[in-house]
Amino acid sequence: MTMLAADPDVIRIGNCSGFYGDRLSAMREMLEGGQLDVLTGDYLAELTMLILGRDRMKDPSLGYAKTFVRQIEDCLGLALERNVQIVTNAGGLNPAGLAEKLRKIAADLGLDAKIAHVEGDDLLGRAAELDLGAPLTANAYLGAWGIVECLNAGADIVVTGRVTDASVVVGPAAAHFGWGRTDYDALAGAVIAGHVIECSTQATGGNFAFFKELGDLGRPGFPIAEVRRDGGSVITKHHGTGGAVTVDTVEAQLMYEIQGARYAGPDVTARLDTIQLAQQAPDRVLISGVTGEAPPPRLKVSLNTLGGFRNEMEFILTGLDIEAKAELAQRQLESWLPVRPEELSWTLARLDRPDAETEERASALLRCVVRDPDPNKVGRSFADVAVELALASYPGASFTSLPGNGSPYGVYTPGFVDATEVPHAAVLPAGTRVDIAAATETLELADVAEPELPEPLPTSGTRRAPLGTIVLARSGDKGGNANIGVWVRTDDQWRWLVNTLTVDRIKELLPETAPLIVTRHVLPNLRAVNFIIEGLLGKGVAYQARFDPQAKGLGEWLRSRHIDIPSELLP
């Protein structure tokens, strides 16, 4: 056990990054804004691993988050002065390289900083042996125990590669409290705290459905988890920062990018259906009651491949005969192409209105996307033909921009390997390497049976209104799948929602999901249902199958759809 906080029963863990590109000043804001014991940063999304993979192709010494380097150059002295440990996955594909870079920064600044790193997640060299194909990147999701070893060895900064997003919170909590590997309830509670704060300001009002209720959302503060010895936590933020921490802002992040009621990780499977939320005070939300189970025997692996090359063209169609104009442009472009790409798709966005008062409101957008393994088939041969249509097609022909030469795109797929095949290791500040054993107690992942539903709400009448009048939602991506978490605030609203918003109703409200497999998971403690929509995002975010490739707006589209709502539930 390593005491990382003055309070033996609470450790105060803040977050300063939710993605590679988050607010650069956040590390300093968090260190200067109030008391912290540990500061974490999450820099790795599925798309980020592809970006770092391409960096590494150009320069093998790269592959880590360069913005984190700039933050440490600015803030290392402040962190050491305030005795705040930093734990981050900014190492990406090259945690050892980042650790060495940080040692040089510390030396240049004349600071004595103990740097450690965690490695073993990179399986690229063994991809074929492990039946993972021939990817550009192949990284297993490691857990928290390598981080624990580094902190127990006195590290001021712990750099990891691909660990689960919550592991950067679980590791410091486990080190501080001396948790064992089978303290599943405590570990699960820390996983939930980590999941809430890992996406930075999404827990303090960012991307929040009822944003108009919040006060100062101009510059939301970053979140803090006060993790307790039993695994419970209070989510909060520094005093005087923007945004808000409410039961609903916390639940919004809880519903983000989840699957079923079991939230699996390499150290523990947390039961989302056991979570209890309570508003303790302004900007203080208690998370309690989380139970945990043994982790599954296999680790998830993030696989990115270069899928080929893509290009696109967007035509502006104005005024009358929109569909006929679209048909002409499509027929001309396809017949003029010297060679047809492997994939060629069209989307017509009818943003136009009749008798519009502005030209923009009278216009629709026709988008053509092409993909092919051969860059020549989507490069100038496509771009030149698209431009040649300018004076030879529909009346008023114009484009939002001219197409370029095409660019490579990536494809994300998840893989799975036995945890015993992954060489998880902690490299301590002194350079000593400590191997981290895989979990010896495991449990195959299985769906939780749907709980008994409450009786439908009796009603004297309904009124047609947007679903979002009373319903909150948050959506996101997991590879090619999308999730929409939907919840309400009162028991009566819950009785109506859970008996109304079925899979069939979702397919009615969101017709694009009708041909796809949609699964519903019910979470009564949170008055929430979560929908998984398989294949909506094609082959993942880098594939850009939709104009909203990460499904960020999917929940807001659902909330905007009109439905018959009991009159007594409406304002």
Side-chain angles (χ1 to χ4, degrees):
M1 185 170 70
T2 297
M3 296 297 291
L4 300 177
D7 189 333
D9 296 315
V10 178
I11 182 169
R12 192 170 158 92
I13 304 172
N15 170 281
C16 69
S17 177
F19 68 102
Y20 190 13
D22 211 342
R23 192 187 308 168
L24 195 63
S25 61
M27 183 176 288
R28 177 165 287 278
E29 291 174 23
M30 289 298 285
L31 290 169
E32 291 181 338
Q35 187 263 323
L36 289 175
D37 300 311
V38 176
L39 184 60
T40 67
D42 176 19
Y43 295 79
L44 302 183
E46 292 166 359
L47 178 61
T48 310
M49 302 302 282
L50 176 65
I51 293 169
L52 296 180
R54 293 176 63 182
D55 281 352
R56 188 172 63 175
M57 288 175 66
K58 298 172 187 174
D59 183 348
S61 70
L62 297 178
Y64 53 76
K66 290 173 280 190
T67 51
F68 177 74
V69 173
R70 294 167 60 189
Q71 290 173 311
I72 288 297
E73 287 172 334
D74 176 51
C75 298
L76 179 57
L78 182 59
L80 293 173
E81 175 189 326
R82 302 204 169 192
N83 195 31
V84 175
Q85 275 70 40
I86 295 175
V87 181
T88 176
N89 63 14
L93 301 177
N94 190 6
L98 178 55
E100 189 56 38
K101 179 72 173 178
L102 298 181
R103 291 186 190 99
K104 184 178 185 306
I105 290 171
D108 290 346
L109 293 173
L111 297 171
D112 179 20
K114 298 180 180 65
I115 315 294
H117 73 274
V118 175
E119 62 186 23
D121 62 294
D122 194 340
L123 303 179
L124 185 61
R126 299 170 56 213
E129 168 199 339
L130 297 170
D131 294 324
L132 298 174
L136 173 66
T137 68
N139 296 81
Y141 285 78
L142 301 180
W145 297 105
I147 296 170
V148 172
E149 287 289 343
C150 293
L151 292 171
N152 284 342
D156 298 305
I157 300 179
V158 182
V159 169
T160 78
R162 179 72 277 184
V163 297
T164 65
D165 298 340
S167 291
V168 295
V169 170
V170 178
H176 180 65
F177 297 121
W179 292 336
R181 297 190 65 154
T182 58
D183 288 329
Y184 294 132
D185 290 350
L187 292 168
V191 163
I192 297 306
H195 176 55
V196 169
I197 73 169
E198 54 100 353
C199 273
S200 71
T201 50
Q202 280 195 167
T204 58
N207 297 345
F208 179 58
F210 283 5
F211 68 98
K212 291 187 291 185
E213 293 183 354
L214 305 182
D216 173 21
L217 196 58
R219 194 172 174 86
F222 279 65
I224 297 165
E226 296 176 353
V227 183
R228 302 177 177 185
R229 183 171 293 277
D230 66 356
S233 64
V234 171
I235 306 301
T236 185
K237 62 186 183 71
H238 283 321
H239 179 71
T241 57
V245 180
T246 70
V247 165
D248 285 319
T249 67
V250 169
E251 183 159 351
Q253 178 56 27
L254 276 175
M255 300 303 296
Y256 183 60
E257 294 181 345
I258 62 170
Q259 304 294 302
R262 284 189 166 97
Y263 189 74
D267 301 321
V268 65
T269 294
R271 290 290 296 263
L272 301 181
D273 54 341
T274 63
I275 298 172
Q276 301 282 349
L277 300 178
Q279 191 82 43
Q280 273 199 333
D283 294 325
R284 292 183 63 82
V285 172
L286 174 66
I287 302 176
S288 62
V290 184
T291 64
E293 301 169 342
R298 296 190 300 164
L299 300 185
K300 184 178 177 181
V301 183
S302 172
L303 300 170
N304 281 286
T305 58
L306 290 177
F309 298 83
R310 74 182 299 279
N311 208 342
E312 68 177 72
M313 181 71 177
E314 199 166 59
F315 302 83
I316 302 173
L317 315 174
T318 303
L320 304 176
D321 305 318
I322 293 294
E323 291 188 4
K325 290 172 179 174
E327 188 278 331
L328 174 60
Q330 179 175 342
R331 176 163 46 85
Q332 287 179 309
L333 187 143
E334 291 190 20
S335 64
W336 291 15
L337 285 173
V339 58
R340 186 181 178 92
E342 185 176 90
E343 295 182 43
L344 191 154
S345 61
W346 295 88
T347 305
L348 177 61
R350 293 299 304 266
L351 309 177
D352 55 301
R353 305 178 188 179
D355 195 22
E357 295 179 354
T358 67
E359 183 178 345
E360 189 170 14
R361 290 184 177 183
S363 299
L365 296 176
L366 176 66
R367 184 181 185 220
C368 179
V369 178
V370 290
R371 298 182 183 88
D372 198 280
D374 182 352
N376 295 317
K377 292 183 181 179
V378 300
R380 293 313 317 172
S381 63
F382 169 75
D384 290 347
V385 166
V387 172
E388 288 168 6
L389 291 175
L391 304 181
S393 191
Y394 59 89
S398 62
F399 319 127
T400 56
S401 62
L402 297 178
N405 292 321
S407 59
Y409 71 89
V411 173
Y412 166 84
T413 53
F416 295 90
V417 298
D418 193 295
T420 59
E421 293 283 355
V422 180
H424 188 176
V427 182
L428 308 183
T432 307
R433 181 184 176 91
V434 178
D435 291 328
I436 308 299
T440 55
E441 184 175 290
T442 62
L443 184 66
E444 288 286 353
L445 199 62
D447 286 338
V448 174
E450 182 169 291
E452 184 176 343
L453 303 184
E455 288 294 318
L457 181 73
T459 179
S460 56
T462 62
R463 208 167 79 219
R464 198 151 187 87
L467 184 64
T469 307
I470 62 170
V471 166
L472 298 96
R474 171 66 62 77
S475 58
D477 64 304
K478 278 295 180 186
N481 299 342
N483 94 291
I484 311 176
V486 182
W487 71 100
V488 288
R489 289 172 160 173
T490 71
D491 289 339
D492 281 349
Q493 290 173 347
W494 170 240
R495 290 174 65 187
W496 172 77
L497 178 76
V498 75
N499 287 291
T500 301
L501 205 59
T502 61
V503 167
D504 288 343
R505 185 61 65 88
I506 281 286
K507 291 187 173 189
E508 289 175 16
L509 294 171
L510 306 181
E512 293 175 22
T513 70
L516 304 174
I517 296 173
V518 179
T519 308
R520 185 177 89 152
H521 300 277
V522 179
L523 301 169
N525 279 11
L526 300 174
R527 299 192 191 97
V529 288
N530 186 50
F531 294 92
I532 310 299
I533 304 165
E534 297 184 26
L536 183 70
L537 306 179
K539 298 176 183 177
V541 54
Y543 184 75
Q544 293 186 299
R546 294 168 55 83
F547 77 100
D548 177 17
Q550 291 180 284
K552 301 295 187 184
L554 193 61
E556 288 302 293
W557 177 29
L558 176 63
R559 293 183 63 247
S560 74
R561 298 291 282 156
H562 288 227
I563 190 171
D564 292 327
I565 300 175
S567 301
E568 53 265 40
L569 299 182
L570 291 168

